Coordinates of all heavy atoms in Angstrom, one line a residue:
F54 N 1.9 43.3 18.6 CA 1.5 43.7 19.9 C 2.7 43.9 20.9 O 2.8 44.8 21.7 CB 0.5 42.7 20.5 CG 0.0 43.0 21.9 CD1 -0.9 44.0 22.1 CD2 0.5 42.4 23.0 CE1 -1.4 44.4 23.3 CE2 0.0 42.7 24.3 CZ -1.0 43.7 24.4
M55 N 3.6 42.9 20.8 CA 4.8 43.0 21.6 C 5.7 44.3 21.3 O 6.1 45.0 22.2 CB 5.7 41.8 21.5 CG 5.1 40.5 22.2 SD 6.2 39.1 22.1 CE 6.0 38.6 20.5
I56 N 5.8 44.5 20.0 CA 6.6 45.7 19.6 C 5.9 47.0 20.1 O 6.5 48.0 20.6 CB 6.8 45.7 18.1 CG1 7.8 44.6 17.7 CG2 7.4 47.1 17.7 CD1 7.9 44.4 16.2
T57 N 4.6 47.1 19.9 CA 3.8 48.2 20.3 C 3.9 48.4 21.8 O 4.0 49.6 22.3 CB 2.3 48.1 19.8 OG1 2.3 47.9 18.5 CG2 1.5 49.3 20.2
T58 N 3.8 47.4 22.6 CA 3.9 47.5 24.1 C 5.3 48.0 24.4 O 5.4 48.8 25.3 CB 3.6 46.1 24.7 OG1 2.4 45.7 24.3 CG2 3.6 46.2 26.2
F59 N 6.3 47.5 23.8 CA 7.7 47.9 24.0 C 7.8 49.5 23.7 O 8.4 50.2 24.5 CB 8.7 47.1 23.2 CG 10.1 47.5 23.6 CD1 10.7 47.1 24.7 CD2 10.9 48.0 22.6 CE1 12.0 47.3 25.0 CE2 12.2 48.3 22.8 CZ 12.8 48.0 24.0
V60 N 7.2 49.9 22.6 CA 7.3 51.3 22.2 C 6.5 52.2 23.2 O 7.0 53.2 23.7 CB 6.7 51.5 20.8 CG1 6.5 53.0 20.5 CG2 7.7 50.9 19.8
K61 N 5.4 51.6 23.7 CA 4.6 52.3 24.7 C 5.4 52.5 26.0 O 5.3 53.6 26.6 CB 3.3 51.6 25.0 CG 2.4 52.2 26.1 CD 1.2 51.3 26.3 CE 0.4 52.0 27.4 NZ -0.7 51.3 27.8
L62 N 6.0 51.5 26.4 CA 6.8 51.6 27.7 C 8.0 52.6 27.6 O 8.2 53.3 28.5 CB 7.4 50.2 28.0 CG 6.4 49.2 28.5 CD1 7.1 47.8 28.7 CD2 5.8 49.6 29.8
I63 N 8.6 52.7 26.4 CA 9.7 53.6 26.2 C 9.1 55.0 26.1 O 9.7 56.0 26.7 CB 10.5 53.3 24.9 CG1 11.3 52.0 25.1 CG2 11.4 54.4 24.5 CD1 12.0 51.5 23.8
Y64 N 8.0 55.2 25.4 CA 7.4 56.5 25.3 C 7.0 57.1 26.7 O 7.2 58.3 26.9 CB 6.2 56.4 24.3 CG 5.5 57.8 24.1 CD1 6.1 58.6 23.1 CD2 4.4 58.2 24.7 CE1 5.5 59.8 22.8 CE2 3.8 59.3 24.4 CZ 4.3 60.2 23.5 OH 3.8 61.4 23.2
E65 N 6.3 56.2 27.5 CA 5.8 56.7 28.8 C 6.9 56.8 29.8 O 6.6 57.4 30.9 CB 4.7 55.8 29.3 CG 3.5 55.9 28.5 CD 2.4 55.0 28.9 OE1 2.6 54.1 29.7 OE2 1.2 55.2 28.5
S66 N 8.1 56.3 29.6 CA 9.2 56.4 30.6 C 9.8 57.8 30.7 O 10.4 58.2 31.6 CB 10.2 55.4 30.3 OG 11.0 55.7 29.1
K67 N 9.6 58.6 29.7 CA 10.2 60.0 29.6 C 9.2 61.1 29.9 O 8.1 61.1 29.3 CB 10.8 60.2 28.2 CG 12.0 59.2 27.9 CD 12.5 59.5 26.5 CE 13.6 58.5 26.2 NZ 14.1 58.5 24.9
D68 N 9.5 61.9 30.8 CA 8.7 63.1 31.1 C 7.2 62.9 31.4 O 6.4 63.6 31.1 CB 8.8 64.1 29.9 CG 10.2 64.5 29.6 OD1 11.0 64.5 30.5 OD2 10.5 64.8 28.4
S69 N 6.9 61.7 31.9 CA 5.5 61.3 32.3 C 4.5 61.6 31.2 O 3.4 62.1 31.4 CB 5.1 62.0 33.6 OG 5.0 63.4 33.4
R70 N 4.9 61.2 30.0 CA 3.9 61.4 28.9 C 2.9 60.2 28.8 O 3.2 59.2 29.4 CB 4.7 61.4 27.5 CG 5.6 62.6 27.4 CD 6.2 62.7 26.1 NE 7.4 61.8 26.1 CZ 8.2 61.6 25.1 NH1 8.1 62.3 24.0 NH2 9.2 60.7 25.2
K71 N 1.8 60.5 28.2 CA 0.8 59.4 28.1 C 0.7 58.9 26.7 O 0.6 59.7 25.7 CB -0.6 60.0 28.5 CG -1.7 59.1 28.5 CD -1.6 58.1 29.7 CE -2.9 57.3 29.8 NZ -2.6 55.9 30.1
F72 N 0.6 57.6 26.5 CA 0.4 57.0 25.2 C -1.0 56.7 25.0 O -1.6 55.8 25.6 CB 1.3 55.7 25.2 CG 1.6 55.2 23.8 CD1 2.5 55.8 23.0 CD2 1.0 54.0 23.3 CE1 2.9 55.3 21.8 CE2 1.4 53.5 22.0 CZ 2.3 54.2 21.3
S73 N -1.6 57.5 24.1 CA -3.1 57.4 23.9 C -3.5 56.1 23.1 O -2.7 55.4 22.5 CB -3.7 58.6 23.2 OG -3.2 58.6 21.8
K74 N -4.8 55.8 23.2 CA -5.3 54.6 22.4 C -5.1 54.9 20.9 O -4.8 53.8 20.2 CB -6.8 54.5 22.7 CG -7.1 53.7 24.0 CD -8.5 53.3 24.0 CE -8.8 52.6 25.2 NZ -10.2 52.1 25.3
K75 N -5.3 56.0 20.4 CA -5.1 56.3 19.0 C -3.6 56.1 18.6 O -3.3 55.4 17.6 CB -5.5 57.8 18.7 CG -5.3 58.1 17.2 CD -5.8 59.5 17.0 CE -5.6 59.9 15.5 NZ -5.9 61.3 15.2
Q76 N -2.7 56.5 19.4 CA -1.3 56.2 19.1 C -0.9 54.8 19.2 O -0.2 54.2 18.4 CB -0.4 57.0 20.2 CG -0.3 58.5 20.0 CD 0.4 59.1 21.1 OE1 0.3 58.8 22.3 NE2 1.2 60.1 20.7
F77 N -1.6 54.1 20.2 CA -1.4 52.6 20.3 C -1.8 51.9 19.1 O -1.1 51.1 18.5 CB -2.1 52.1 21.5 CG -1.9 50.6 21.8 CD1 -0.9 50.2 22.5 CD2 -2.8 49.6 21.2 CE1 -0.6 48.8 22.7 CE2 -2.6 48.3 21.5 CZ -1.5 47.9 22.2
W78 N -3.0 52.2 18.5 CA -3.6 51.5 17.4 C -2.8 51.9 16.1 O -2.7 51.1 15.2 CB -5.0 51.7 17.2 CG -5.8 50.9 18.3 CD1 -6.5 51.4 19.3 CD2 -5.9 49.5 18.4 NE1 -7.0 50.4 20.1 CE2 -6.6 49.2 19.5 CE3 -5.4 48.5 17.7 CZ2 -6.9 47.9 20.0 CZ3 -5.6 47.2 18.1 CH2 -6.4 46.9 19.2
Q79 N -2.3 53.2 16.0 CA -1.6 53.6 14.8 C -0.2 52.9 14.9 O 0.2 52.4 13.8 CB -1.3 55.1 14.9 CG -2.5 55.9 14.5 CD -2.3 57.3 14.6 OE1 -1.4 57.8 15.3 NE2 -3.1 58.1 14.0
T80 N 0.4 52.7 16.0 CA 1.7 52.0 16.1 C 1.5 50.5 15.8 O 2.3 50.0 15.0 CB 2.3 52.2 17.5 OG1 2.4 53.6 17.8 CG2 3.7 51.5 17.5
M81 N 0.4 49.9 16.2 CA 0.1 48.6 16.0 C -0.2 48.4 14.5 O 0.3 47.3 13.9 CB -1.2 48.2 16.8 CG -1.6 46.8 16.6 SD -0.8 45.8 17.8 CE -1.8 44.3 17.7
L82 N -0.9 49.3 13.8 CA -1.1 49.2 12.4 C 0.2 49.3 11.6 O 0.4 48.5 10.6 CB -2.1 50.3 11.9 CG -2.5 50.3 10.5 CD1 -3.2 49.0 10.1 CD2 -3.3 51.5 10.2
I83 N 1.1 50.2 12.0 CA 2.3 50.3 11.2 C 3.1 49.0 11.4 O 3.7 48.5 10.5 CB 3.1 51.5 11.8 CG1 2.3 52.8 11.4 CG2 4.5 51.6 11.3 CD1 2.9 54.1 12.0
C84 N 3.2 48.5 12.6 CA 3.9 47.2 12.8 C 3.3 46.1 12.0 O 4.0 45.3 11.5 CB 3.9 46.8 14.3 SG 4.9 48.0 15.3
L85 N 2.0 46.0 12.0 CA 1.3 45.0 11.1 C 1.7 45.1 9.7 O 1.9 44.1 9.0 CB -0.2 45.1 11.3 CG -0.8 44.3 12.5 CD1 -2.2 44.6 12.7 CD2 -0.6 42.8 12.3
L86 N 1.7 46.3 9.2 CA 2.0 46.6 7.8 C 3.5 46.1 7.5 O 3.8 45.5 6.5 CB 1.8 48.1 7.4 CG 0.4 48.5 7.3 CD1 0.3 50.0 7.1 CD2 -0.4 47.8 6.3
L87 N 4.4 46.5 8.4 CA 5.8 46.0 8.2 C 5.9 44.5 8.3 O 6.7 43.9 7.5 CB 6.7 46.7 9.3 CG 6.8 48.2 9.1 CD1 7.7 48.8 10.2 CD2 7.5 48.5 7.8
C88 N 5.2 43.9 9.2 CA 5.2 42.4 9.3 C 4.6 41.8 8.1 O 5.1 40.8 7.5 CB 4.4 41.9 10.5 SG 5.2 42.2 12.1
G89 N 3.6 42.4 7.5 CA 3.0 41.9 6.2 C 4.0 42.1 5.1 O 4.1 41.2 4.2
L90 N 4.8 43.1 5.1 CA 5.8 43.4 4.0 C 6.9 42.3 4.1 O 7.2 41.8 3.1 CB 6.3 44.8 4.2 CG 7.3 45.3 3.1 CD1 6.6 45.4 1.8 CD2 7.9 46.6 3.5
V91 N 7.3 42.1 5.3 CA 8.4 41.1 5.6 C 7.9 39.7 5.2 O 8.6 38.9 4.5 CB 8.9 41.2 7.0 CG1 9.8 40.0 7.3 CG2 9.6 42.5 7.2
S92 N 6.7 39.3 5.7 CA 6.2 38.0 5.4 C 5.9 37.8 3.9 O 6.2 36.7 3.4 CB 5.0 37.7 6.2 OG 3.9 38.4 5.8
G93 N 5.5 38.9 3.2 CA 5.3 38.8 1.8 C 6.5 38.6 1.0 O 6.6 37.9 0.0

Side-chain angles (χ1 to χ4, degrees):
F54 182 75
M55 287 187 284
I56 290 172
T57 305
T58 305
F59 185 69
V60 168
K61 178 182 176 183
L62 290 173
I63 291 174
Y64 184 80
E65 289 182 346
S66 69
K67 297 178 182 173
D68 301 331
S69 66
R70 294 183 281 184
K71 183 73 175 143
F72 201 72
S73 68
K74 278 189 175 182
K75 182 179 178 183
Q76 288 173 318
F77 182 85
W78 288 111
Q79 285 176 342
T80 308
M81 182 89 167
L82 180 65
I83 291 169
C84 290
L85 273 173
L86 290 172
L87 290 175
C88 285
L90 185 66
V91 169
S92 69

